Amino acid sequence: MVRPPSARSAVPGVGRLGLLEPTAAASLRELAWDNIDSIPVLWALSRAPDADLALLTLTRLQAALGDDWSELDSTLRSDTALRGRLFALVGSSSAFADHLVADPAVWRILLRDKLPAREELIADLLAAVQAVPVESPHADAVLHRAEQSGPEAIPLLRKRYRDQLMLLAALDLAATVENEPVLPYQVVGRHLTDLADAALTAALAVAVARVCKDGPVPVRLAVIAMGKSGACELNYVSDVDVVFVAEPADAIATRLAAEMMSVGSAAFFEVDAALRPEGKAGALVRTLDSHIAYYKRWARTWEFQALLKARPMTGDLALGEQYRDALMSMVWTAAERPDFVADVQAMRRRVEDLVPADLRERELKLGHGSLRDVEFAVQLLQLVHGRVDETLHVQDTVEALTALAAGGYVGRDDAANLTASYEFLRLLEHRLQLQRLKRTHTLPAADDEEGMRWLARAAHIRPDGRQDAVGVLGTEIRRNAVRVRRLHAKLFYRPLLESVVKMDPDALRLSPDAAIRQLAALGYAAPENALGHLKALTGGVSRKGRIQALLLPTLLEWLGDTPNPDAGLLAYRRVSEGLDDQIWFLRELRDEGAIAQRLMIVLGSSEYLPDLLINAPDTIRMYADGPGGPLLLSPQPEDVARGILTAAARYDDPKRAVAAARSLRRHELARVASADLLGMLDVPQVCRALSAVWVAVLEAALRAVIRASEAELGTPAPADFAVIGMGRLGGLELGYGSDADVLFVCDPRPGADETRAVKWAIGIAEKVQRLLGSPSTDPPLQVDAGLRPEGRNGALVRTLAAYAAYYEQWAQPWEVQALLRAHQVAGDQDLGVRFLRTIDKVRYPEGGVSAEAVREIRRIKARVDAERLPRGANPATHTKLGRGGLADIEWTVQLMQLRYAHDVRALHNTSTLQSLDVIEQTKLLAVEDVSLLREAWIAATKARNALVLVRGKPADQLPGPGRLLSAVARVAGWPNDDGSEFLDNYMRVTRRAKAVVERVFGG
């Protein structure tokens, strides 16, 4: 029939309907929907999340139904509820589209407007395999035997399970197309759990038929749901975690459990028993007593956390309840375990490390601001407070949040907001899984506009007048992720602060005992002291106290992830009190997130830095990021040195000049140590910066003392004066705990009396040592001249001629070796260079060092190895004198220099690392050997520096496994806080380097 033009124009075209496929118009004609009577159907189709997929599925359904299509077509025109369910379903899920086409008559299931009850689901799945009850002396046993138990059972069960899952999905999605009720998140999760229980009840029935073909089942077998299944908050597509308890735990029980898992995994979803005692290495089935014994003696913290969700799901339910009753008392005392905090923090970091960095912003389950953040926080608070509050003994995450809010453990508004974000993220997770019925938690990529558009429509996201649906979805994802991250901190710390300062008049307050429990669970070894610090920081009614109360939830979360939150909180209190009159401090922390986070990391990781920061607070401003990167990296060592010299030159009084130099040194030490601890500098950069500031302070002190002496004498100085750096100072490779080894050299000026000139020079050297070594709150400045001729018995200062005569006649092999690192660092540059030229013929002898000298060096090295190591030190982990440590590497390099520097000019170098580069380039040692030596030197230097940063004082011995070692590992840049891994790696690196050292020293 030819339609009048008016009718034709009223029918929306494919463009208005959002149909993009070229065949869309033909498909509508084929369905006879291109007419005015079909307009409501067409507009409903246009609202499907993927209208093209929905239309394609409907044409496939028409072909599959044949003559029966008319019934479906007629019902779709009259029943808006069915229309909403069907169009939403086939526009959201290609998997369910295929399921419908494979058995088109199943569309009638979608006529149902209510979800079946748990009992109906169990009966339906059991009927699929014609299962009948098995006689059992235990009334609570849910045990059946399937008549259909061969290979045909799998497709029968899969089909029935998919039918039921399809009905739930259709009811869940219908509101996206028609004005249908929205299924609450908890209803969806509980129904999915009921369906999983029914599915595994049917799988157990098949297992019974296969293992116990006739008669009663001779064992009791309880199937315990764990994880999301145990908490009744399953996803559409998820592993179902189970644990088996049997009496007796014999071969029959094991076969029943294994068959049930096999059938369930083939027909429904992956059935995973990895949460059982000892994991996949443990027995699949255990008796109740065996479970109890394991959890009493061997279980780790995460296993008790997993038990929070334990729920008897099928099989012998009475035995399952006995299991739960026996173990839950242990769950609620898990927070008292000595390793509870460390275990919880390590587990959280391991979970985060599972997510590749490029997926963290797209990962709904494990990323930043993700579902796991919410679940982890809620479970931790349950474990902490559930021992004394039975209202927290719930399994569902949303119910647990409600209970925590009711008990005052979290703020009511925070709980409500967190619940909303959690349910939004779970909604997105469900929609992503429905698309292909695949287990996924990953959002479409940012450039996948079609994927994001589909997800927005499937999640019922609509344009808001400013943005289209995709824009609104992106905004909501970001908003909820940020809200979860923000509330994750507040969840733990806002109630703590409410307990010490009333931030919200309507808020429930934690009792002192609850606050102490919570602080202990967050990693504070002395929670009473921590509570005192919080009271001091937020005390009074001042504006600063209120700002602290707003800042502290986030600051405390960052502190809680550091090696020593107790010391960090105390240090933060000290810094805050020291800067009480500085308006900028709290403002910077409030407005610059990078400053606040970096400050907490530093304070909770280092005992070296807090005093420096208290005395050099402006360094904290440098924790911000500038246009070119972190401000901590902006100063260059040469600019810092120039500033120190300029500042000191303003004062005639040497004490004031040295004080000015020390003040700038303090700032520079704080800057370098902060950048190092935050992972912004590598080892050579740290060594260069520390050496540069030492040299500058030494130069500033020397100039000030000479300037004052000349003013006092009224005449120019009687001698030129130079300071020669030795050891690590000479190599410009100082660490935080290094002294400055030096030689003082003078040269009388023309006409000056030599005795008077030397006496004057000794006075200058002593005064420099005294001024720099005077007590101070800063790290010490010890100027050590112990490497001078005749050691501490020799003259503190010698003339250039005296040095030349001594080294020519009396130099011992160890003294020649020490001269390899001599370098001009301060004072008269020309004199310093003349000194170096004088000693070059001694330290780089023509033809190389003699065989006798090499033997003597080897003898001294053997004596050092045998005698110099401190009593009680571990030779495997002493960074300086231990196996493959700094001394080993440096002696090896120096022996190579003594042997070959006369021939290889580039070995005239005081730096160990640079000399290793030359040795590699000239092939004096194999590339592999040099790499091992270099790696060991860097590892030992990094570990030694980390020891100082963590402990606040010089140290060479790495500690044994424990909290201190974990802190050193973190500060040394180890990727996790497993100190044992760090120690194993250190010993492996140094052991391999020691093999090279022994080979070189062995000739």
Side-chain angles (χ1 to χ4, degrees), residues 299-320:
R300 289 171 290 175
T301 299
W302 70 263
E303 293 178 281
F304 291 108
Q305 188 172 352
L307 281 175
L308 273 173
K309 307 294 188 185
R311 174 185 63 85
M313 71 184 305
T314 192
D316 195 311
L317 296 179
L319 180 58

Side-chain angles (χ1 to χ4, degrees), residues 647-848:
R650 297 192 183 106
Y651 302 97
D652 294 328
D653 180 2
K655 286 185 178 179
R656 297 186 67 188
V658 169
R662 292 184 85 146
S663 174
L664 291 179
R665 171 184 181 258
R666 186 185 311 132
H667 280 268
E668 181 64 358
L669 283 181
R671 179 191 75 82
V672 173
S674 297
D676 183 11
L677 191 146
L678 293 167
M680 299 176 184
L681 295 174
D682 61 23
V683 168
Q685 289 171 319
V686 171
C687 293
R688 266 196 308 278
L690 294 176
S691 301
V693 73
W694 234 122
V695 166
V697 171
L698 196 53
E699 179 72 54
L702 181 61
R703 289 183 185 182
V705 170
I706 291 176
R707 196 164 57 244
S709 173
E710 289 180 327
E712 184 181 338
L713 291 172
T715 60
D720 295 325
F721 192 100
V723 181
I724 308 300
M726 302 289 283
R728 292 198 134 210
L729 176 63
L732 301 182
E733 292 173 337
L734 285 177
Y736 297 107
S738 303
D739 292 340
D741 290 311
V742 301
L743 298 178
F744 295 115
V745 58
C746 70
D747 191 31
R749 289 176 176 169
D753 178 72
E754 181 173 323
T755 302
R756 177 174 168 271
V758 171
K759 185 177 180 181
W760 171 85
I762 290 172
I764 295 295
E766 288 175 340
K767 191 161 188 178
V768 167
Q769 284 183 308
R770 190 166 57 250
L771 282 172
L772 291 179
S774 61
S776 165
T777 57
D778 298 341
L781 280 158
Q782 297 299 331
V783 180
D784 189 346
L787 291 177
R788 65 186 183 265
E790 302 177 60
R792 301 192 187 281
N793 296 320
L796 181 61
V797 184
R798 292 180 183 236
T799 65
L800 179 61
Y803 273 112
Y806 176 85
Y807 286 126
E808 184 175 344
Q809 295 184 53
W810 307 107
Q812 301 296 307
W814 70 266
E815 292 178 298
V816 174
Q817 184 180 349
L819 289 175
L820 290 170
R821 306 199 77 179
H823 189 72
Q824 158 68 14
V825 293
D828 188 276
Q829 183 72 19
D830 178 66
L831 175 59
V833 170
R834 284 190 288 134
F835 175 87
L836 297 181
R837 287 177 179 161
T838 298
I839 64 171
D840 276 354
K841 58 188 175 186
V842 177
R843 59 180 173 172
Y844 309 129
E846 196 65 38

Side-chain angles (χ1 to χ4, degrees), residues 636-656:
Q636 297 302 308
E638 54 272 18
D639 297 330
V640 173
R642 196 178 303 115
I644 290 173
L645 292 172
T646 302
R650 297 192 183 106
Y651 302 97
D652 294 328
D653 180 2
K655 286 185 178 179
R656 297 186 67 188

Side-chain angles (χ1 to χ4, degrees), residues 86 118 135 149 177 244 371 468 527 679 825:
L86 181 62
R118 172 188 169 87
E135 290 185 16
S149 59
V177 172
F244 296 103
L371 295 166
D468 63 7
V825 293

